[in-house]
């Protein structure tokens, strides 16, 4: 069972959030608990170093910073497979008036991916946040990485809100080192019907083939050689494609990865700046985007 701090006087949505989080952790075969000891937070630092391959001299976060955040009431949690820490997540509060949490880093060891540990961590975070009156959790992700887009938009039903060009600047790790750090900011409205359904195991629907059959235009496609091909975006619904494995492309062909970065920035970035809404993300690699009626 996950170690959640229960609010027995909370609303029914909070109780359902706790139940969904506990079910997800049980299905993943893990225990999730808030962390605040120096020993546990040092383990988080080492875990993140392994995931992002940064080395000891350039950790994504330090144990002392996590310690301060935990003491200040921010969210810091770990997922344990037996006694081993295999995943962790932390976030901090946005301005109080917004009643929002910014989830900064969440990561799971590669060898345990596929067990839905990341999903369980996010559901734990949702229940924790709802018990504290938080209605929204925000975070950023790399919009070129298919599995992350699917996880955030489809599996969790978070809504892309803003395209952020080279948001973090240069990052000295083995995953981001050769590329601009463009990100999409998503907003997870914790009590929305879509989020509640997703957390209960009913992901947000996304069918690119059906959208194409309904005359959606292809604004960005993948060529037979694996490169980006810009199309048109004149219809009310457009499809924006991303490559199958940009991380491998980044490792073996940085020039092609840079082409994809620029192409997606120009297409998806412009659509979001114009007020378009991402309706969903098809696992086959397509953003389904609805443009505003006035466009």
């Amino acid at each position: 069972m996950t170690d959640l701090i229960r609010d027995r006087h909370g609303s029914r949505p909070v109780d359902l959030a706790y139940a969904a989080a506990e079910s997800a952790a049980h299905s993943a075969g893990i225990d999730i608990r808030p962390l605040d000891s120096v020993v546990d937070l040092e383990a988080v630092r080492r875990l993140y170093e392994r995931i992002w391959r940064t080395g000891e001299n350039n950790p994504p976060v330090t144990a002392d910073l996590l310690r301060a955040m935990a003491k200040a009431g921010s969210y810091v949690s770990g997922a344990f497979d037996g006694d081993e820490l295999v995943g962790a997540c932390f976030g901090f509060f946005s301005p109080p008036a917004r009643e929002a949490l910014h989830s900064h880093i969440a990561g799971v060891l590669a060898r345990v991916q596929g067990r839905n540990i990341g999903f369980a961590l996010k559901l734990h975070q949702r229940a924790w946040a709802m018990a504290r009156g938080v209605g929204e959790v925000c975070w950023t992700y790399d919009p070129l990485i298919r599995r992350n887009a699917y996880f955030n938009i489809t599996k969790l039903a978070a809504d892309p809100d803003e395209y952020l060009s080279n948001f973090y600047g240069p990052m000295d790790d083995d995953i981001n080192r050769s590329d601009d750090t463009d990100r999409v900011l998503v907003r997870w409205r914790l009590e929305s019907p879509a989020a509640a359904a997703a957390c209960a195991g009913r992901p947000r629907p996304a069918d690119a083939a059906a959208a194409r059959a309904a005359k959606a235009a292809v604004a960005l496609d993948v060529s037979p050689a694996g490169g980006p091909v810009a199309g048109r975006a004149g219809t009310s619904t457009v499809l924006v494609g991303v490559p199958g494995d940009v991380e491998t492309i980044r490792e073996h062909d940085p020039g092609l990865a840079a082409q994809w970065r620029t192409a997606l920035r120009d297409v998806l970035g412009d659509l979001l700046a114009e007020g378009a809404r991402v309706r969903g993300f098809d696992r086959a690699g397509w953003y389904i985007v609805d443009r505003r009626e006035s466009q």
Side-chain angles (χ1 to χ4, degrees), residues 269-288:
D270 285 355
L271 285 166
L272 289 177
E274 292 168 2
R277 179 182 71 89
V278 176
R279 184 202 309 171
F281 186 86
D282 190 304
R283 199 165 202 164
W286 297 97
Y287 289 92
I288 305 172

Side-chain angles (χ1 to χ4, degrees), residues 37-275:
S37 75
V38 173
V39 172
D40 283 342
L41 299 175
E42 183 64 23
V44 172
R45 178 190 67 81
R46 293 194 301 270
L47 176 79
Y48 285 164
E49 287 174 3
R50 291 175 63 188
I51 293 171
W52 278 274
R53 305 193 300 273
T54 61
E56 295 182 359
N57 295 325
N58 185 36
V61 67
T62 58
D64 59 322
L65 177 59
L66 290 173
R67 176 76 162 163
M69 291 176 62
K71 178 63 176 175
S74 294
Y75 178 80
V76 186
S77 73
F80 291 84
D81 186 359
D83 294 331
E84 182 186 8
L85 181 69
V86 296
C89 180
F90 78 90
F92 43 84
F93 288 103
S94 295
R98 293 180 57 187
E99 297 182 342
L101 184 78
H102 184 86
S103 184
H104 186 52
I105 298 180
V108 174
L109 287 175
R111 67 173 180 78
V112 296
Q113 289 177 2
R115 288 172 49 184
N116 288 320
I117 292 173
F119 183 67
L121 274 167
K122 294 305 290 186
L123 266 60
H124 182 280
Q125 184 181 59
R126 175 176 179 257
W128 182 95
M130 288 173 64
R132 288 156 178 80
V134 174
E136 176 181 283
V137 176
C138 303
W139 63 90
T140 65
Y141 78 96
D142 185 340
L144 277 173
I145 299 179
R146 271 193 195 186
R147 68 178 184 277
N148 289 352
Y150 177 82
F151 179 76
N152 293 323
I153 299 170
T154 302
K155 194 158 185 176
L156 293 177
D159 298 309
D161 184 71
E162 187 178 0
Y163 192 100
L164 305 167
S165 298
N166 203 23
F167 182 61
Y168 294 111
M171 296 183 73
D172 188 18
D173 62 57
D174 286 348
I175 294 177
N176 297 287
R177 182 170 290 134
S178 63
D179 198 3
D180 283 352
T181 53
D182 287 25
R183 297 292 185 264
V184 162
L185 177 73
V186 295
R187 298 189 182 279
W188 198 23
R189 295 168 176 89
L190 303 183
E191 294 191 38
S192 70
C199 293
R202 301 187 300 276
R204 172 183 277 163
D207 189 337
R212 193 189 294 259
K215 309 302 183 185
V218 177
L220 186 63
D221 204 348
V222 184
S223 75
V229 179
R232 59 190 179 89
T235 56
S236 59
T237 298
V238 297
L239 300 176
V240 180
V242 293
D245 185 358
V246 74
E247 291 165 299
T248 298
I249 295 173
R250 196 178 287 153
E251 182 178 354
H252 297 287
D253 192 344
L256 180 58
Q259 290 178 36
W260 267 110
R261 180 64 76 202
T262 299
L264 190 65
R265 181 186 297 166
D266 290 345
V267 176
L268 184 61
D270 285 355
L271 285 166
L272 289 177
E274 292 168 2

